[in-house]
Amino acid sequence: MICAALKPPTNDEALRQMQEARRLGADLCELRVDHLADPDLPRLLRSKPLPVLVTVRSKAEGGVFGGGE
């Protein structure tokens, strides 16, 4: 099983990257929403072309989310 980790800056780019990951053979993707400027999860999950694991990583975990748990 192949999981593609995606760090898109926009919702449109997230959908494009998910399509590309699927085309290249990924079975699922990790969508790093800490990189999205204005996440629209209902839209992204409704339009996803493959299974998605949504993650938010803090700066301590190598992400860009600056908020608390």
Side-chain angles (χ1 to χ4, degrees):
M1 181 169 284
I2 297 172
C3 179
L6 309 177
K7 302 176 186 178
T10 67
N11 294 297
D12 288 338
E13 181 63 15
L15 291 171
R16 191 199 68 70
Q17 287 184 18
M18 284 190 272
Q19 287 286 356
E20 181 68 1
R22 181 175 180 223
R23 186 186 72 76
L24 292 172
D27 299 299
L28 70 146
C29 68
E30 174 192 13
L31 180 58
R32 296 275 308 274
V33 296
D34 51 297
H35 285 266
L36 284 171
D38 186 24
D40 184 352
L41 286 179
R43 175 185 170 212
L44 293 172
L45 296 177
R46 184 176 53 247
S47 303
K48 64 182 175 50
L50 69 169
V52 174
L53 173 67
V54 176
T55 60
V56 178
R57 293 191 185 187
S58 67
K59 291 179 182 179
E61 298 172 321
V64 296
F65 181 67
E69 289 194 39

